[in-house]
Structure formats: structure tokens, C-alpha cells
């Protein structure tokens, strides 16, 4: 029987909405490195921004968790640290390399989820990264959902377009409403870049339907907030981008991988050392291309207030059944 540490509600903090699904490079690295020559990998992986956080499971709450030696869980954080402010993790995902079932599983956690952040009371889950960096963010996930995460990968918002361009863009199906909103985001993205002395082309998306998106266009698509059901559908778009990038990398010729990894690894900050990255890649690809599965949590049926959110002290939060959600996250990760 799975057990998870379940907090009780209190207090709150306000969050300014930001975009964030920019941890694509992690998945690219995990699958790419296994196909490279060993000596070349060691040289290239050395370029990653290695940031070990802890060797003690209790420091990140992993001691409350169930575990499976055939399944490795990694926290993926997409952050936006512009203007020197403390970065919130506005994209929060759990990447599970499931060698028991030969799958790669990706679970988004909605950033406005109301949880206990150790030492900071009840607040939005994406505040944890700003309060205590990746170590506190991992501990928050583990203690609320009964997981065993010990490592993380973080990529900053500004690097997403570069990552996508490095693999030659991706194919995404867009509605007309999504196309229009993405083009608005392209304009604002260019304006933000100009303020920081950078020039971003106004590379507008010409049509709806299946489109081949450049890095700038894919970033704009991932930033859409006002089409569909708010953050629910935005996390769907973020995972869709990730899945398409995974598929694109898997279809690439192996001879192109060294140059690709050489470009991508410097964009990644991670607690995984070179040996761990190599091991994950080799295991994930040991039996060919793994099955890719993705979802998000909390699920609709576990929200309070009909999924409309709740105002607490003037701040909007997503209130949900934490115990039920913990059980469902564990089932998604550990069951077939």
C-alpha cells in the first residue's frame, strides 16, 4: 500500500503568472547520450551545468516515498528568472524513466496547486523553487505526493527557442484561435527581448492546422494562456511540445547527435552527473525507442469548487484532494 505525507491547509502567497515549459533539453539529453561514443559523451556531458544538491534522501523528503529500482524519477523545472528576481518554477513536471515497463512517462503538476511548502505553510507549489531552489521544490513534491525524487533538471525560459531550433523545429496542430494568440505572443516576446538588447524576428505563424514551428513560434504556442481552459490546456500544450521534440530526436540520424548534444547540454542545470546521465540514456534505449506517456495532475475529478479555483486572502489557488492525487500520481509512475 502506498503512503504519502498529506498536509493540512493554512495561509497563502500571491503569484504573478508566468510561462515555463522549458525543460525540453532534459529529455533530449536523456535519450541522446545513450547513442554516443563513451569517450565523446564524457567530454560533452562535462559541459552541463552540474549542481549537486544532496546525498541525503531525508533532505528532499524522499524518505516518505515508495520506490522501484527500475524506475527513476526526475523533477523538471521551467523557470523565468528575468529582471534578477527569484525564479518560480512555472513549469513543474516529473519525468519517469520506467525501465520495468519500457516507457518514458511525463506528468505535469499545475503550478497553482495549493500545497504545503515545508517551512512556508500552504501556498502555490511553484513558489517552492523561489523560496529554496530545486532542493525545496523537490522536497515539496515528494512530501505532498509520496515520491522518491532525488534529482532535477532546470532550463530557463529564454533558452526554449534555442533548444527547439537546435533540433530543426517541431510539427504542431494548431486551431485558428491558437494561431492568433501565438502570434500575439510572438509580438510580446520580441518586445521583451528588445528591452534586454536582443533581437527576435517577428516570425508569425501563417496558418492553422498542422504547422512546422520554429523555436520562436513554439515558445509562443507554449505561452498561450487565453485559449481553452486556462492552465489546464496550457500544460497540455507544453507536454505536446515536449512529446514532439522527443519524437523528432528519436527520428534523427545518430551521426547528428554529437553536435546536437554539444549545443543543448550547456543550456541545462542539473544535479545529475555525467555517469548518471549516461546510465539513464543507455537504460532508456536498451530495448529500442520507449513508449511515451503523458498526463497532468491534479485530475479534474479531484478539484474542489468544480475546478474553478478558490480565492484565499485575495489570491487564487487550485484546491484539490491531495491524498487522492498522490495515489494517482504514484499509480501513473509505478503501474503499467
Amino acid at each position: 500500500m502506498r503512503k504519502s505525507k498529506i498536509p493540512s491547509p493554512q495561509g497563502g502567497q500571491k503569484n504573478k503568472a508566468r510561462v515555463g515549459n522549458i525543460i525540453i533539453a532534459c529529455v533530449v539529453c536523456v535519450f541522446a547520450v545513450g547513442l554516443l561514443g563513451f569517450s565523446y559523451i564524457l567530454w560533452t556531458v562535462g559541459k552541463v551545468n552540474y549542481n549537486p544538491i544532496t546525498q541525503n534522501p531525508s533532505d528532499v523528503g524522499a524518505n516518505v516515498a515508495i520506490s522501484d529500482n527500475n524506475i527513476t524519477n526526475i523533477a523538471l523545472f521551467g523557470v523565468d528568472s528575468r529582471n534578477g528576481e527569484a525564479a518560480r518554477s512555472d513549469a513543474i513536471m516529473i519525468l519517469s524513466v520506467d525501465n520495468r515497463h519500457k516507457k518514458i512517462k511525463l506528468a505535469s503538476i499545475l503550478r497553482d496547486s495549493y500545497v504545503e511548502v515545508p517551512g512556508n505553510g500552504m501556498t502555490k507549489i511553484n513558489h517552492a523553487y523561489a523560496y529554496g531552489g530545486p532542493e525545496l521544490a523537490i522536497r515539496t513534491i515528494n512530501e505532498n505526493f509520496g515520491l522518491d525524487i532525488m534529482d532535477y533538471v532546470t532550463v530557463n525560459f529564454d533558452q526554449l527557442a534555442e533548444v527547439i531550433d537546435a533540433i530543426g523545429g517541431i510539427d504542431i496542430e494548431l486551431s485558428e484561435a491558437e494561431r492568433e494568440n501565438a502570434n500575439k505572443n510572438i509580438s510580446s516576446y520580441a518586445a521583451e527581448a528588445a528591452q534586454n538588447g536582443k533581437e527576435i524576428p517577428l516570425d508569425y505563424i501563417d496558418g492553422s492546422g498542422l504547422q512546422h514551428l520554429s523555436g520562436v513560434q513554439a515558445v509562443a504556442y507554449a505561452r498561450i494562456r487565453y485559449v481553452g481552459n486556462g492552465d489546464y490546456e496550457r500544460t497540455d500544450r507544453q507536454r505536446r511540445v515536449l512529446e514532439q521534440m522527443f519524437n523528432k530526436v528519436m527520428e534523427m540520424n545518430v551521426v547528428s547527435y554529437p553536435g546536437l548534444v554539444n549545443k543543448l547540454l550547456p543550456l541545462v542545470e542539473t544535479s545529475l552527473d555525467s555517469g548518471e546521465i549516461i546510465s539513464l540514456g543507455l537504460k532508456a534505449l536498451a530495448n529500442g525507442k520507449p513508449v511515451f506517456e503523458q498526463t497532468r495532475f491534479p485530475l479534474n475529478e479531484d478539484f474542489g469548487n468544480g475546478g474553478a479555483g478558490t480565492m484565499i486572502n485575495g489570491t487564487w489557488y487550485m484546491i484539490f484532494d491531495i491524498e487522492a492525487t498522490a495515489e494517482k500520481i504514484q499509480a501513473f509512475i509505478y503501474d503499467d
Side-chain angles (χ1 to χ4, degrees):
M1 181 176 180
R2 301 186 177 95
K3 297 181 180 180
S4 56
K5 185 176 178 180
I6 309 300
S8 59
Q10 60 178 329
Q13 299 282 339
K14 184 169 182 176
N15 169 48
K16 181 170 68 175
R18 299 268 188 165
V19 69
N21 182 1
I22 27 202
I23 29 63
I24 310 303
C26 161
V27 176
V28 175
C29 295
V30 168
F31 299 110
V33 294
L35 301 178
L36 304 176
F38 186 75
S39 61
Y40 184 87
I41 295 174
L42 287 176
W43 175 77
T44 303
V45 173
K47 294 184 176 183
V48 74
N49 296 314
Y50 176 53
N51 180 33
I53 52 174
T54 182
Q55 296 298 318
N56 187 351
S58 64
D59 290 344
V60 289
N63 58 322
V64 304
I66 62 170
S67 185
D68 185 327
N69 290 334
N70 291 297
I71 298 174
T72 302
N73 296 313
I74 303 167
L76 309 180
F77 301 115
V79 303
D80 188 353
S81 56
R82 292 171 291 182
N83 302 320
E85 63 185 14
R88 296 185 178 96
S89 54
D90 284 334
I92 305 168
M93 297 187 183
I94 302 165
L95 173 69
S96 301
V97 182
D98 182 353
N99 295 314
R100 180 176 298 282
H101 305 109
K102 314 306 177 188
K103 294 181 177 181
I104 298 298
K105 300 174 182 177
L106 187 69
S108 298
I109 299 177
L110 293 177
R111 63 181 188 171
D112 294 323
S113 298
Y114 191 56
V115 301
E116 176 82 26
V117 175
N120 295 274
M122 294 293 293
T123 187
K124 295 185 180 184
I125 194 169
N126 73 334
H127 287 187
Y129 199 100
Y131 294 157
E135 190 162 324
L136 181 59
I138 292 172
R139 183 180 173 190
T140 299
I141 296 171
N142 283 338
E143 292 194 0
N144 280 278
F145 304 118
L147 299 179
D148 63 347
I149 300 170
M150 290 287 292
D151 290 293
Y152 79 100
V153 176
T154 296
V155 178
N156 195 284
F157 170 83
D158 292 334
Q159 297 159 335
L160 177 57
E162 186 176 349
V163 170
I164 294 173
D165 284 334
I167 64 169
I170 56 175
D171 295 329
I172 294 287
E173 187 87 25
L174 294 90
S175 68
E176 178 59 23
E178 287 175 327
R179 184 191 72 84
E180 292 176 356
N181 275 263
N183 283 341
K184 291 178 181 177
N185 287 341
I186 289 172
S187 294
S188 62
Y189 185 35
E192 291 170 5
Q195 291 177 357
N196 295 317
K198 299 179 181 179
E199 183 176 350
I200 302 295
L202 291 174
D203 187 16
Y204 294 121
I205 303 171
D206 294 331
S208 56
L210 185 62
Q211 300 291 321
H212 185 75
L213 303 185
S214 67
V216 169
Q217 292 170 339
V219 167
Y221 171 78
R223 295 180 76 178
I224 294 173
R225 297 178 55 204
Y226 303 112
V227 175
N229 196 5
D231 201 38
Y232 305 147
E233 291 194 24
R234 186 171 72 160
T235 58
D236 289 343
R237 294 186 191 97
Q238 292 171 351
R239 293 192 309 277
R240 195 171 300 125
V241 168
L242 183 59
E243 182 174 9
Q244 291 306 311
M245 294 191 73
F246 166 73
N247 290 335
K248 184 71 175 286
V249 171
M250 289 295 95
E251 293 168 0
M252 294 173 67
N253 191 308
V254 65
V255 299
S256 65
Y257 279 24
L260 175 63
V261 175
N262 189 41
K263 290 180 181 179
L264 297 184
L265 283 176
L267 304 177
V268 177
E269 177 186 300
T270 180
S271 60
L272 295 164
D273 63 30
S274 59
E276 290 168 326
I277 294 175
I278 293 167
S279 178
L280 279 173
L282 290 173
K283 289 178 180 178
L285 294 170
N287 295 285
K289 179 181 176 180
V291 175
F292 187 97
E293 294 182 351
Q294 52 94 2
T295 188
R296 61 99 170 143
F297 295 100
L299 299 177
N300 290 353
E301 63 262 27
D302 296 320
F303 283 120
N305 197 22
T310 301
M311 293 294 293
I312 301 176
N313 297 326
T315 301
W316 188 87
Y317 298 95
M318 292 304 304
I319 308 298
F320 63 100
D321 186 328
I322 298 180
E323 185 171 3
T325 298
E327 291 176 355
K328 291 174 183 178
I329 291 177
Q330 292 167 11
F332 175 74
I333 290 173
Y334 294 103
D335 298 343
D336 189 11

